[in-house]
């Protein structure tokens, strides 16, 4: 039985943001309904960085994402983060495919935030604030453009060149470079930085704003002033990960926020167990840490499209 | 930068038992000296079986083995266990290779037992007892034949056909089918069964015997009467795994054996921190559960040989 092998270029070719959004929403629905299994990430530290193993099971797919973080790679001209996905048949364990998961990760992260915005932002949201204009910003814009009619994107980055590149990539949504304060005054604000000191100030946030806090993904990282969280309705993707490594991790450690202050996880909102936005004045925050169910759902989509196309390389990786 | 892709047939072609033994011994030496990192396995349960993620770091190699156990596969004509290895550069995290790890697992398991025999069995051991003549038996014989002059192999299996097939595969070592009692009267005895009730009886074991207890790899599995362990010098590959899932797990749970009764781990014997056999009358037991450092060392060997050959397929799996 052959195993499909998909390179980064091939995976990218097979990714469609509208399909990814649908798959990620379905993944949260299944997981919340108990159809799936996602053990905690396993960490492997090495001298120059670390690796994370993210095993996961959802209906129709079992697998593992293996992803590194090596911050010194930038100086070598290599990406800091590279991800591989092993795609197994849950019925037999057979490795059906091996594929690059770097773009899968970027797409699913954008999709998860846009899904959160769908349930938590005001329906009439038309302006998108981007704080941190690196790689993550592209899929945030693509995903939000699928679900909202964007009239303006307000972009801030410490690097003028990084902002400029993003602005030139999406002329159709009227992007402009601006101050962080101006970006924060958007209907939906996405924070996408590696900050370890809050950069989004409470005083900048208007009533009714929805914030996707995406940057914090490790202990000690923090992008929002804790006073924003105290006043907001806070939704997380996974309470275990969020409290250990997400936007709420530092405020929890400092006693400025508690696990019990979290309103819901995204799956509870999607399945209607908990209501989304009910008041146009409320400030809402989605704390996104990135969960393996998102990867599994998107990888399944990519695998099924590749298999249907029948034009991708495969080899007899194992017996069977 | 390309990623090498190696199929099962290609990996098998690149495996040489004498090199594997050397690499596995070196892996235990490095790990015991603190040069490496091996977090606990992460388990993923699915309806029809389970998966294990085994992340590991040793000098020159970081990586992960992802392996399933689906016992119902036999009726589908598929292997119960299939393993994939992701091979990373520890300096940058780059995925240098993806390869089948099913044979790597079989080879390293044979090698670890033969290394244990080298330090724990009598130097003049010439007879090898095999209890359980399935897949594992082949690499046990190959590995022991590298380190011992075998005059006789005594083979027992519940299936006559399974025994016969093994016997016909190694005519050069004078194999014969026999009773379990006769197999147990060998100088070195390897137990390779999925037993959940002890099948190796204390009364069968002669003074000076070395036993490699390989079969027990999950809670509730047990091949040796606990009274053998109480009298023997017991060495494990990894005390965490052995006490949870190895030969000693059931006796520990029943209070018939204690973690403190373990004499040493294999790395301590190899590095000389603890002595191996000193008395020709002692009974010794190696409790093998299979550890990721063994896989990493063998995968590194395979990768380096494949890269040197330069004739294997590769693709641009990730950017860089």
């Amino acid at each position: 039985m052959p195993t499909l092998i998909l390179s980064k270029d091939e995976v990218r070719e097979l990714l469609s943001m509208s399909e990814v959004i649908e798959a990620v929403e379905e993944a949260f629905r299944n997981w919340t309904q108990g159809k799936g299994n996602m053990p905690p990430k396993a960490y492997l530290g090495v001298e120059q960085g670390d690796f994370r193993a993210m095993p996961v099971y959802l209906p129709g797919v079992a697998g593992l994402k293996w992803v590194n973080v090596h911050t010194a790679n930038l100086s070598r001209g290599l990406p800091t983060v590279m991800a591989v996905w092993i795609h197994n048949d849950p019925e037999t364990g057979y490795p059906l495919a091996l594929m690059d998961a770097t773009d899968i990760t970027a797409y699913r992260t954008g999709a998860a935030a846009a899904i959160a915005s769908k349930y938590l932002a005001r329906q009439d949201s038309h302006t998108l604030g981007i704080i941190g204009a690196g790689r993550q910003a592209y899929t945030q814009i693509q995903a939000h453009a699928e679900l909202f009619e964007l009239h303006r994107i307000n972009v801030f980055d410490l690097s003028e060149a990084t902002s400029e590149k993003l602005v030139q990539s999406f002329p159709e949504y009227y992007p402009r470079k601006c101050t962080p304060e101006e970006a924060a005054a958007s209907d939906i604000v996405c924070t996408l930085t590696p900050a370890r000191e809050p950069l989004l100030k409470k005083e900048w946030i208007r009533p009714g704003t929805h914030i996707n806090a995406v940057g914090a993904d490790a202990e000690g990282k923090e992008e929002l002033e804790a006073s924003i969280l105290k006043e907001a309705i806070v939704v997380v993707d996974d309470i275990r990960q969020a409290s250990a490594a997400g936007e709420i991790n530092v405020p929890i450690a400092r006693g400025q926020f508690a696990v019990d202050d979290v309103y819901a996880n995204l799956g509870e909102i999607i399945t209607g167990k908990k209501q989304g936005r009910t008041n146009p004045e409320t400030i809402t925050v989605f704390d996104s840490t990135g969960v393996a169910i998102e990867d599994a759902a998107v990888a399944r989509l990519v695998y099924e499209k590749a298999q249907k196309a029948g034009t991708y390389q495969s080899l007899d990786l194992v017996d069977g």
Side-chain angles (χ1 to χ4, degrees), chain A:
Chain A
M1 193 151 71
T3 300
L4 274 176
I5 313 283
L6 301 172
S7 72
K8 182 171 167 79
D9 288 346
E10 289 167 335
V11 171
R12 193 187 287 142
E13 203 175 270
L14 291 162
L15 284 168
S16 136
M17 188 55 91
S18 62
E19 293 173 350
V20 167
I21 290 171
E22 213 174 302
V24 170
E25 190 164 342
E26 179 71 11
F28 275 102
R29 191 174 293 118
N30 277 322
W31 185 45
T32 301
Q33 293 171 345
K35 299 176 204 154
N37 186 8
M38 184 168 60
K41 296 180 190 181
Y43 285 81
L44 173 69
V46 298
E47 278 164 47
Q48 303 81 357
D50 69 53
F51 295 84
R52 294 110 198 250
M54 300 167 66
V56 56
Y57 168 51
L58 277 180
V61 51
L64 172 118
K65 188 165 82 169
W66 177 239
V67 54
N68 76 301
V69 180
H70 281 67
T71 48
N73 277 2
L74 286 175
S75 62
R76 300 172 186 248
L78 270 177
T80 302
V81 173
M82 294 169 280
V84 175
W85 170 259
I86 307 177
H87 194 83
N88 300 81
D89 180 348
E91 300 256 336
T92 65
Y94 194 86
L96 297 168
L98 305 175
M99 61 182 87
D100 171 74
T102 314
D103 284 315
I104 288 174
T105 305
Y107 269 68
R108 59 80 151 152
T109 306
I115 294 163
S117 296
K118 182 172 95 170
Y119 290 96
L120 297 172
R122 297 192 321 276
Q123 297 285 319
D124 63 347
S125 294
H126 295 299
T127 61
L128 182 66
I130 296 289
I131 297 181
R135 288 178 178 233
Q136 297 280 356
Y138 292 77
T139 45
Q140 289 291 332
I141 294 174
Q142 285 167 42
H144 280 88
E146 291 287 339
L147 300 181
F148 294 88
E149 197 184 308
L150 298 179
H151 298 170
R152 171 66 83 190
I153 304 178
N154 298 305
V155 177
F156 170 75
D157 194 284
L158 289 173
S159 154
E160 177 79 12
T162 302
S163 291
E164 184 59 31
K165 193 175 158 217
L166 184 68
V167 161
Q168 291 191 357
S169 300
F170 294 100
E172 65 273 40
Y173 306 126
Y174 309 97
R176 59 157 187 163
K177 288 177 283 181
C178 65
T179 65
E181 184 168 352
E182 287 165 328
S186 307
D187 298 328
I188 297 169
V189 180
C190 301
T191 59
L192 310 162
T193 76
R196 289 179 172 270
E197 296 290 334
L199 49 79
L200 193 66
K201 295 194 187 305
K202 173 78 176 66
E203 66 191 68
W204 295 344
I205 308 298
R206 300 181 311 177
T209 302
H210 171 65
I211 303 165
N212 290 308
V214 179
D217 63 350
E219 203 184 316
K221 289 192 178 177
E222 185 182 23
E223 298 185 285
L224 278 55
E225 284 189 345
S227 54
I228 299 174
L229 297 177
K230 280 307 280 184
E231 191 173 301
I233 283 183
V234 176
V235 172
V236 298
D237 51 11
D238 177 23
I239 189 64
R240 294 170 303 180
Q241 283 190 193
S243 55
E247 180 59 35
I248 61 175
N249 93 82
V250 175
I252 286 177
R254 286 214 200 94
Q256 297 167 318
F257 193 78
V259 169
D260 288 346
D261 293 334
V262 171
Y263 170 68
N265 67 50
L266 185 56
E268 291 173 321
I269 302 281
I270 289 170
T271 55
K273 282 189 184 176
K274 293 279 183 79
Q275 273 197 301
R277 173 176 294 271
T278 52
N279 181 329
E281 299 290 304
T282 310
I283 293 169
T284 51
V285 174
F286 174 54
D287 181 355
S288 166
T289 60
V291 283
I293 54 162
E294 300 164 353
D295 299 300
V298 180
R300 182 184 175 185
L301 195 65
V302 168
Y303 170 72
E304 285 172 356
K305 287 171 84 171
Q307 201 196 24
K308 201 167 167 188
T311 54
Y312 295 91
Q313 67 179 316
S314 64
L315 85 171
D316 290 322
L317 186 75
V318 304
D319 277 345

